Amino acid sequence: MKVLVAVKRVIDYNVKIRVKADNTGVETANVKMSMNPFDEIAVEEAIRMKEKGAATEIIAFSAGPAQCQETIRTALAMGADRGILVQTDADLQPLAVAKLLKAVVDKEQPGLVIVGKQAIDDDSNATGQMLAALLGWSIGTFANKLNVADGSVEVKREVDGGLENIKIKMPAVITTDLRLNEPRYASLPNIMKAKKKPIETLAPDALGVDVAPRLKTLKVEEPPKRKSGIKVKTVAELVEKLRNEAGVI
Amino acid sequence: MAVLVVAAHDGKTVRANVANAVAAAGQMDAEVHVLVAGSNAGEAAKSAAAIQGVAKVLQAEDAAYANWLAEDIAPLVVKLAPNYSHIVMAADSVGKNVAPRAAALLDVAQVSEAIQVVSPDTFVRPIYAGNAMATVQSTDKIKIVTVRPTNFKAAAGGGSATIEQIEGTGSAGLSSFAGAELSKSERPELTSAKIVVSGGRGLQSGENFKMLETLADKLGAGLGASRAAVDAGYVPNDYQVGQTGKVVAPDLYIAIGISGAIQHLAGMKDSKTIVAINKDEEAPIFQVADYGLVGDLFQLVPELTAAIEKK
Ligand SMILES: Cc1cc2nc3c(=O)[nH]c(=O)nc-3n(C[C@H](O)[C@H](O)[C@H](O)COP(=O)(O)OP(=O)(O)OC[C@H]3O[C@@H](n4cnc5c(N)ncnc54)[C@H](O)[C@@H]3O)c2cc1C
Ligand SMILES: Cc1cc2nc3c(=O)[nH]c(=O)nc-3n(C[C@H](O)[C@H](O)[C@H](O)COP(=O)(O)OP(=O)(O)OC[C@H]3O[C@@H](n4cnc5c(N)ncnc54)[C@H](O)[C@@H]3O)c2cc1C
């Protein structure tokens, strides 16, 4: 079984975001970019499936500018076998990414697609669900644990009240949550090996996908700032303030 | 055209956040309908009919809807969609699972986790863990919007909408429910609690969280945690507050042994009053705290519990 994983290039989670002065977006020039952390979890899960013999080949997919090659290389260094880059400088929204992924799925016929539950830049939490819809496949969102057996996947999901178990038919789409696994670091020999692994580059047009955005971003602004607070010296002072100043207890 | 709010429920009542979603929907169009899909969902439908501002409740009975599988619910939403200008869901684990599937089936975008309705087609939504606010305009005919409940004041009760029975769409046969392991708690639910007590890695163990439970019970508070505390297994996953966990905005949020990473702040910085207890006076949590207390939590938390008891 082939497994397709989506890896998105995002601003590293440690970077302090700055909104552009002209309010068109956030500053991306000269900031550290990394693989979306949830996608590292997706890649790790696919590698573990391959190590257990449940998967035969892992394909890492990314959509975006040419630099997404680096993100794919990271996935290859972790253990993916080959990459597919859909190269475009367009503003890609989840529905467009889902359509690109669908076109690749139609070509590659994987048994599973694993994507992150949410990209930490746009925070949409939508791409995997949309892909499953377009394919007419089952979906296991917010996966905490997976067990692939006999043409189906048992998925333990992280939900509002705790955990939930579902069994879904394959082929299927999975979205990863934080507790699914702890992703490995790529070793130096594997980073070297990854340089020789193939990456195919495609254009959205060649896949017959219209990536035009459906949501127009009118402006991007700084969030309102909280006014700075004070330090209290003692518990008694804290309780007094909470009772008489804030009036919350 | 009207707005359809798709309600999650437990068979007896719709979730509390449906009243927030109805309030948000009311800002998109004056006529709000609520869909209650389920198996034996009559009581839940009645609870939806009691929310003010709801004109009509659609109750769809089908065994397939018992456990809210996205594969089975989304086709029903899609079937109803042509009658509506907007489909709205609360941005919880049900909304995030179902709404994007319906959106893709309708070939429309989803506006994820809106915090403000600017006009019927324009919304504000946080991006980058709430470090930027994007104003987006939807160009689609049907707008699918998930809303962040804490940003919309819940619609009041006392309404009396009509309840209409509609046909279900059956099972897609793609998935089945195999049980849940829900956290049992007598405490208020995290996202709607007036006071939240949250613990982080500083607690050092699950055992030590008992100390926070005692404090929470004195305050009638819900209990939350940082990702680090959940990852370390101190508390279950549904306690996680933050960018990739739950968003809370209580009157009082008490962060104990939490450093204040941006991913955590994303889930609590809209709280009215924030208290931080941390032994590191440089901890970033103090930058958002109204009242900061520097010191050892193992000494301060029991002291605080005792001081609150005294009244
Ligand atoms: C240069 C540039 C500028 C942009 N500017 C804006 C802007 O101003 N406003 C705006 O709204 N959007 C903008 N976008 C798009 C936005 O950043 C998101 O890429 C898009 O909305 C998808 O949302 P998301 O990543 O939050 O999706 P989610 O649904 O949260 O992503 C979930 C998962 O889907 C997969 N995935 C998503 N996208 C990709 C991808 N490209 N490649 C591989 N896997 C992927 C990953 O596995 C990810 O973990 C821009 C994108 C680019 C490249
Ligand atoms: C993709 C991604 C998503 C994430 N999503 C979330 C999220 O949704 N929510 C979230 O919370 N985090 C999230 N994180 C993790 C986040 O970056 C931080 O790692 C995490 O919030 C740290 O938790 P903490 O503050 O409990 O631990 P630490 O950062 O280790 O802080 C512990 C604090 O306890 C204090 N302390 C220790 N002992 C004592 C004592 N005896 N008395 C008083 N104070 C003491 C220390 O001074 C320190 O400030 C995410 C990270 C990533 C990469």
Side-chain angles (χ1 to χ4, degrees):
Chain A
M1 172 181 76
K2 284 190 206 174
V3 177
L4 182 69
V5 292
V7 294
K8 185 179 182 189
R9 180 172 178 267
V10 299
I11 296 183
D12 187 85
Y13 79 97
N14 273 315
V15 171
K16 183 147 176 28
I17 296 303
R18 276 186 308 131
V19 171
K20 282 188 191 157
D22 65 1
N23 292 118
T24 56
V26 307
E27 207 56 76
T28 52
N30 303 318
V31 299
K32 184 178 176 212
M33 306 293 286
S34 301
M35 186 189 298
N36 181 36
F38 287 98
D39 299 350
E40 295 179 343
I41 297 173
V43 176
E44 176 66 34
E45 197 63 18
I47 297 169
R48 290 186 190 186
M49 284 178 186
K50 194 175 166 194
E51 286 168 349
K52 278 193 289 199
T56 51
E57 188 186 29
I58 302 166
I59 308 164
F61 163 100
S62 194
Q67 296 92 315
C68 293
Q69 292 252 7
E70 296 161 20
T71 317
I72 294 178
R73 287 281 169 221
T74 306
L76 299 178
M78 285 174 74
D81 297 293
R82 61 187 167 96
I84 295 178
L85 168 62
V86 178
Q87 194 175 327
T88 169
D89 290 325
D91 161 10
L92 291 178
Q93 292 177 350
L95 185 60
V97 176
K99 287 179 179 177
L100 294 171
L101 273 164
K102 176 177 186 295
V104 170
V105 167
D106 289 344
K107 246 177 66 170
E108 299 285 350
Q109 301 286 316
L112 273 184
V113 182
I114 312 180
V115 309
K117 85 162 174 181
Q118 122 188 28
I120 60 162
D121 51 0
D122 204 53
D123 285 333
S124 294
N125 199 324
T127 306
Q129 295 87 317
M130 289 182 156
L131 172 63
L134 297 176
L135 290 164
W137 288 9
S138 58
I139 177 90
T141 46
F142 326 141
N144 172 284
K145 198 167 177 214
L146 296 179
N147 184 27
V148 178
D150 304 330
S152 61
V153 195
E154 291 164 0
V155 187
K156 193 183 283 297
R157 306 177 56 227
E158 297 201 0
V159 296
D160 294 328
L163 295 164
E164 179 183 287
N165 300 302
I166 58 171
K167 191 168 175 180
I168 61 178
K169 277 202 184 132
M170 296 215 305
V173 178
I174 302 292
T175 81
T176 61
D177 215 319
L178 294 168
R179 263 67 61 175
L180 183 58
N181 60 49
E182 263 186 64
R184 70 194 64 192
Y185 291 102
S187 67
L188 196 57
N190 285 343
I191 293 172
M192 300 312 288
K193 262 196 264 170
K195 295 195 170 142
K196 299 208 188 69
K197 293 182 180 174
I199 299 179
E200 182 185 358
T201 302
L202 302 166
D205 285 352
L207 293 169
V209 175
D210 172 9
V211 296
R214 304 294 187 80
L215 298 179
K216 223 161 56 189
T217 302
L218 303 181
K219 61 181 174 195
V220 175
E221 296 167 301
E222 296 260 0
K225 287 235 171 356
R226 281 188 81 89
K227 68 169 176 38
S228 54
I230 57 162
K231 291 244 170 70
V232 291
K233 293 237 157 25
T234 62
V235 164
E237 188 186 350
L238 174 64
V239 172
E240 191 275 322
K241 296 270 187 215
L242 291 177
R243 282 208 177 112
N244 303 324
E245 195 173 83
V248 286
I249 60 172
Chain B
M1 268 205 294
V3 181
L4 182 66
V5 174
V6 181
H9 61 88
D10 62 5
K12 292 184 203 69
T13 56
V14 292
R15 285 190 179 178
N17 62 24
V18 173
N20 306 82
V22 166
Q27 296 176 27
M28 301 172 204
D29 189 279
E31 187 171 344
V32 178
H33 298 179
V34 177
L35 171 65
V36 177
S39 170
N40 292 321
E43 289 304 311
K46 278 185 206 154
S47 73
I51 299 172
Q52 286 216 1
V54 177
K56 184 159 80 175
V57 174
L58 306 177
Q59 184 190 343
E61 282 291 327
D62 198 317
Y65 301 150
N67 294 297
W68 275 84
L69 295 162
E71 295 88 338
D72 299 333
I73 299 280
L76 174 65
V77 176
V78 169
K79 190 178 120 187
L80 297 170
N83 305 326
Y84 294 95
S85 59
H86 299 73
I87 311 264
V88 175
M89 290 189 81
D92 59 16
S93 65
V94 173
K96 288 174 181 174
N97 194 34
V98 172
R101 190 171 180 102
L105 291 173
L106 291 164
D107 193 28
V108 302
Q110 168 177 277
V111 177
S112 297
E113 214 147 347
I115 59 167
Q116 191 193 328
V117 180
V118 178
S119 72
D121 68 358
T122 304
F123 308 88
V124 179
R125 57 177 302 265
I127 54 176
Y128 294 94
N131 288 296
M133 299 291 153
T135 304
V136 298
Q137 183 176 35
S138 165
T139 56
D140 288 311
K141 197 160 155 274
I142 299 172
K143 293 158 186 48
I144 301 233
V145 188
T146 62
V147 297
R148 182 176 282 185
T150 49
N151 286 83
F152 298 91
K153 191 170 181 293
S160 55
T162 56
I163 300 176
E164 184 185 313
Q165 304 292 326
I166 61 167
E167 286 281 309
T169 43
S171 168
L174 287 171
S175 52
S176 58
F177 182 74
E181 303 153 36
L182 301 183
S183 316
K184 288 210 173 47
S185 167
E186 299 296 309
R187 283 180 207 97
E189 200 270 320
L190 195 51
T191 56
S192 53
K194 291 231 174 324
I195 302 180
V196 172
V197 173
S198 259
R201 183 155 23 214
L203 266 293
Q204 290 174 15
S205 73
E207 187 59 29
N208 290 337
F209 252 83
K210 292 225 172 75
M211 206 164 64
L212 300 199
E213 289 174 11
T214 315
L215 174 61
D217 291 343
K218 286 273 158 352
L219 290 165
L223 208 51
S226 71
R227 173 189 174 183
V230 175
D231 282 4
Y234 303 168
V235 288
N237 61 282
D238 52 304
Y239 282 41
Q240 184 181 317
V241 170
Q243 178 189 16
T244 62
K246 287 181 179 160
V247 176
V248 301
D251 291 343
L252 174 60
Y253 186 89
I254 308 181
I256 300 171
I258 292 178
S259 61
I262 51 168
Q263 292 85 8
H264 188 78
L265 301 186
M268 45 66 78
K269 69 181 174 190
D270 288 339
S271 305
K272 207 169 120 208
T273 299
I274 296 174
V275 170
I277 299 179
N278 197 302
K279 68 175 180 191
D280 172 11
E281 63 177 325
E282 301 293 325
I285 190 76
F286 288 123
Q287 291 165 18
V288 300
D290 299 283
Y291 305 112
L293 189 52
V294 180
D296 181 8
L297 70 92
F298 293 102
Q299 183 205 324
L300 295 172
V301 173
E303 251 186 66
L304 179 59
T305 310
I308 285 163
E309 214 163 26
K310 261 197 306 197
K311 269 256 155 174

